[in-house]
Amino acid sequence: MRYHHIVFDVDGTLLDTEEAILQSFQKTLREHAGIEKDLSGAAALKRLETGHEEEILLQWKENLAALRDFVRVFDGIELLLKRLRADGFQLGVVTSRCRAEDEPDFMRL
């Protein structure tokens, strides 16, 4: 069996976003709730039960946008994508991000 299509996720697959995501989340917790914890993720935010989850998530997105310099394309991804296309594969990306969130990171490719 030969595959003809390959679909990639963005965060953690094509782009190394871990540092930016963690730093923006921790910065948001400090700014919004005065919390100094080594936590990550929306699940952790829900467990904190601040009562302001939606507002905090919006602040988190703003902080993440300000930390875009920490986002980088993984080494070898550009070459991999070129080779796959040259070999005739149809490539796609699946993400929960909106276009406005993706464009600044993908302009690097």
Side-chain angles (χ1 to χ4, degrees):
M1 173 192 280
R2 175 161 157 67
Y3 294 100
H4 301 282
H5 301 85
I6 300 174
V7 179
F8 293 92
D9 184 25
V10 175
D11 295 310
T13 303
L14 297 175
L15 300 177
D16 183 356
T17 55
E18 181 180 21
E19 189 67 24
I21 289 170
L22 290 175
Q23 282 194 28
S24 66
F25 183 62
Q26 290 168 359
K27 183 177 189 295
T28 302
L29 288 177
R30 279 193 307 275
E31 292 172 346
H32 213 283
I35 297 171
E36 290 283 345
K37 297 247 183 205
D38 190 15
L39 298 172
S40 62
L45 181 60
K46 288 179 184 176
R47 290 185 68 197
L48 293 173
E49 298 178 0
T50 65
H52 304 281
E53 284 80 9
E54 287 184 34
E55 185 179 336
I56 293 173
L57 283 172
L58 287 173
Q59 179 71 44
W60 185 5
K61 286 183 179 184
E62 289 176 17
N63 287 337
L64 181 56
L67 292 166
R68 287 278 181 225
D69 290 342
F70 287 97
V71 174
R72 65 178 191 81
V73 176
F74 278 113
D75 293 339
I77 289 295
E78 189 173 359
L79 179 61
L80 171 68
L81 296 176
K82 285 179 182 178
R83 284 185 177 170
L84 290 171
R85 286 188 59 128
D87 287 345
F89 288 97
Q90 295 291 313
L91 305 179
V93 174
V94 176
T95 183
S96 61
R97 293 172 168 217
C98 67
R99 183 177 299 268
E101 293 171 323
D102 269 341
E103 284 182 349
D105 295 332
F106 279 101
M107 293 306 291
R108 298 173 191 189
L109 282 177

